[in-house]
Structure formats: C-alpha cells, structure tokens
Amino acid sequence: MAVDFRPLSFALGAEVIGLDLHSPVSEVEWKQVHQGFLQFGVLLIRGQSISREQHIAFSRRFGDLDEHESLPMDRDATLPVLLMVTNDQKPDGGPSNSRYTGQMWHSDMSFTLAPALGSLLHAIEVPPVGGDTLFANMYLAYDTLSGRMKQMLEGLNGVHHSERKNSGLSATWEKENQRLNPPVAQPVVRVHPETGRKALYIGEKVKCFEGMTQEESKPLIDFLIRHATRPHFVYRHSWQANDLLIWDNRCTSHLALGDYDPQCRRHLERTTVLGTPSGHVAEMEVTV
Ligand SMILES: O=C(O)CCC(=O)C(=O)O
C-alpha cells in the first residue's frame, strides 16, 4: 500500500498515513518515508503499539543508533539504545532523572561530537492534557535572515553546553554529566548532508560564540532563538499514546513544554540515530 503524508502545520511536520510498524517495512515504503522525513522534518505515525524491539528495528532503517554513552543516567540498563523520557520514579523511590528532559530549545546531542541525525520518540503513556512538544523549522529560520546577518554567521561557532534547565539530576549525576560532556563548538550554520540546504544550528544549549565572551554573545543568541521559534515557524505536537514521532535534528529544533500535571504519568522512549561527526571541544570556560 502506498504511504501518504498529511501536513501538520505550515512550517513543518506531516502525519504518515498507511504505514504500520507491526510488520516489516518494505523497500518501497521505506523510500517514501525517507523522502517524507527529508521534506517535512518531523513525521508522525499514530497508533503504533509496537514493542521496543520493533521500535529499535525501524529506527535502524535511518542509520546506526547512539548507545547514549553521553547520557548514561537516562538510558535503559539492558537496551542502551533506548533513552527514557519519563517521570516514573526510580526503583529507590527517587525522582526520575529525565522528568524535565528537553525543556529548552535544542537539537539532540548538539553538545557532543556526534550530534544526532534523527530521533524517534515513542509515546507509551501520556497525560490526558498537555505535555506537548514544539518543533521549529531551522531551514526557515536561516532562509528568513537578512543577507548581512547570514554573512556574519558564516564561520561562527556556537559553544554548546550539556547543562539542562531544571536539571532534575542529583549533584553527583550533574557532575558526571559535565565530566562526560565538555562544551563543544559547532557551526551556527550547518549544511544538511542530504538536502544540501543551510539550517540555523542554535538553541538554548549555546552559551556563547567561540572567541567571544558570553556577555558579547548573549544578545545575538537570544535574537536567533527568538527568530527561529516564531509561532509561524513552529509545529506544536499534542501527544497520544502509541504515537511515534520522528524528527530530523539537522534542520529542526524542539522544546518539551512541561505543561502538564506532574501527578500524571508521562513515559516516552527514544532512539537516537547517529549523525555525521561535527564540531570540536571548545577551549574556553563557560559558566551556566
Ligand atoms: O519529552 C518531550 O516531549 C521531548 C523530549 C526531548 O526533548 C528529547 O527527547 O530530546
């Protein structure tokens, strides 16, 4: 059966119609999905009550998977390619490390030397209302800058820090997080390796530009984030259980809103597809 796409917003995102991951995906279907992934940046497949193994197997169609060495506190103990995004308590009754995951504009793994190509987030249980996620189209963000601004950004590197807003991590894990993930400099403008288009690579993990102070950098960082996340560049996803949401981290940015009752369970599981190595460890002190 042919796969179809129903756009979800003006800026980005499409729902995939006619694909069921309970059975193997044919070559023809895969080619269509991959084309849709490049075209829409975010794909939604509803009604996927699939197993972890099926989630992982489909994710591998996109490329090699990250074993999340950079985020040991969040990965599953037996299946390290699965990252938990959950407010479930830990076995010892302590709060989940990942209850605030993603509550700042970011592109996955930008603070490492292997920023993610894509992510596939599977909703197991979600609150009856809220817990939405916003996605921004970073091609549009780049394309709509003035020519002079584009020139200024060319060759500029942003320094990405692994800090999390409302970290939710114990002091010990926070220290380990900083040890594992020193600040990394990444180009502010990245060329998408498959489409050849330029996209803005900026978010709240960027604390300064390489070679500039944080004070000098902040106004421009703030402007670029505000510009990239204007409402008309954004798709807001309201989750349903069994949604599989797939995004291209090379041309989108996202933010988990945290707009839900924390008494309600919110449990999602993510695979992360490894991207092209990029960036270098930044030779500068960054305060957060
Ligand atoms: O929980 C969400 O809605 C998004 C999580 C997130 O930001 C991530 O997995 O990178």
Side-chain angles (χ1 to χ4, degrees):
M1 184 171 142
V3 168
D4 223 341
F5 297 96
R6 186 182 67 81
L8 291 166
S9 77
F10 159 72
L12 74 168
E15 182 176 353
V16 184
I17 313 288
L19 190 71
D20 184 356
L21 303 179
H22 293 89
S23 31
V25 172
S26 71
E27 263 318 297
V28 174
E29 287 171 325
W30 164 248
K31 282 207 177 97
Q32 292 172 316
V33 169
H34 185 243
Q35 197 48 45
F37 175 69
L38 295 180
Q39 182 179 344
F40 296 104
V42 176
L43 294 181
L44 165 65
I45 316 177
R46 294 243 197 237
Q48 300 304 309
S49 56
I50 50 174
S51 66
R52 287 176 154 189
E53 288 68 27
Q54 286 168 323
H55 176 188
I56 293 168
F58 180 61
S59 303
R60 290 199 199 282
R61 300 298 294 262
F62 289 82
D64 291 337
L65 300 186
D66 196 329
E67 300 236 327
H68 301 118
E69 295 291 340
S70 303
L71 297 171
M73 66 297 262
D74 296 335
R75 63 183 173 177
D76 184 73
T78 49
L79 288 172
V81 292
L82 275 186
L83 200 74
M84 300 297 121
V85 179
T86 186
N87 60 3
D88 284 349
Q89 286 182 341
K90 291 191 217 167
D92 67 4
S96 158
N97 286 326
S98 62
R99 65 196 186 282
Y100 301 129
T101 287
Q103 294 189 8
M104 56 206 294
W105 281 105
H106 68 286
S107 171
D108 292 331
M109 315 309 281
S110 70
F111 54 91
T112 72
L113 300 174
L117 178 157
S119 302
L120 294 91
L121 190 59
H122 186 213
I124 309 297
E125 191 171 340
V126 290
V129 64
D132 294 356
T133 312
L134 303 183
F135 290 86
N137 181 331
M138 303 304 275
Y139 289 138
L140 270 181
Y142 177 77
D143 290 346
T144 50
L145 291 170
S146 65
R148 196 74 186 84
M149 177 62 90
K150 285 179 184 160
Q151 262 177 22
M152 210 166 82
L153 298 180
E154 212 57 53
L156 204 61
N157 287 327
V159 177
H160 295 240
H161 197 279
S162 62
E163 170 244 7
R164 306 179 183 190
K165 187 141 79 185
N166 296 331
S167 135
L169 292 180
S170 65
T172 316
W173 268 125
E174 190 56 67
K175 210 163 153 207
E176 179 63 358
N177 186 33
Q178 312 285 318
R179 188 189 68 79
L180 287 172
N181 302 300
V184 161
Q186 301 281 4
V188 174
V189 179
R190 283 180 91 201
V191 178
H192 193 293
E194 292 185 84
T195 65
R197 289 183 66 186
K198 287 184 175 174
L200 209 52
Y201 199 58
I202 194 92
E204 291 179 83
K205 293 206 182 271
V206 177
K207 300 302 166 198
C208 62
F209 298 113
E210 203 172 30
M212 289 170 65
T213 66
Q214 287 182 247
E215 192 183 6
E216 287 167 339
S217 308
K218 191 170 183 322
L220 182 53
I221 295 170
D222 289 349
F223 163 74
L224 291 172
I225 295 172
R226 212 168 50 245
H227 168 74
T229 60
R230 289 165 201 269
H232 56 282
F233 294 164
V234 167
Y235 162 61
R236 177 173 182 152
H237 185 62
S238 293
W239 291 93
Q240 294 178 11
N242 299 323
D243 279 355
L244 182 71
L245 202 68
I246 308 163
W247 60 87
D248 187 337
N249 283 291
R250 302 163 297 182
C251 58
T252 68
S253 176
H254 61 283
L255 165 79
L257 284 178
D259 60 335
Y260 69 100
D261 178 352
Q263 301 308 315
C264 298
R265 184 172 189 235
R266 186 175 191 273
H267 180 90
L268 303 97
E269 299 184 357
R270 187 183 102 193
T271 51
T272 313
V273 184
L274 285 167
T276 323
S278 168
H280 56 264
V281 173
E283 298 294 330
M284 55 194 294
E285 284 286 307
V286 178
T287 53
V288 292

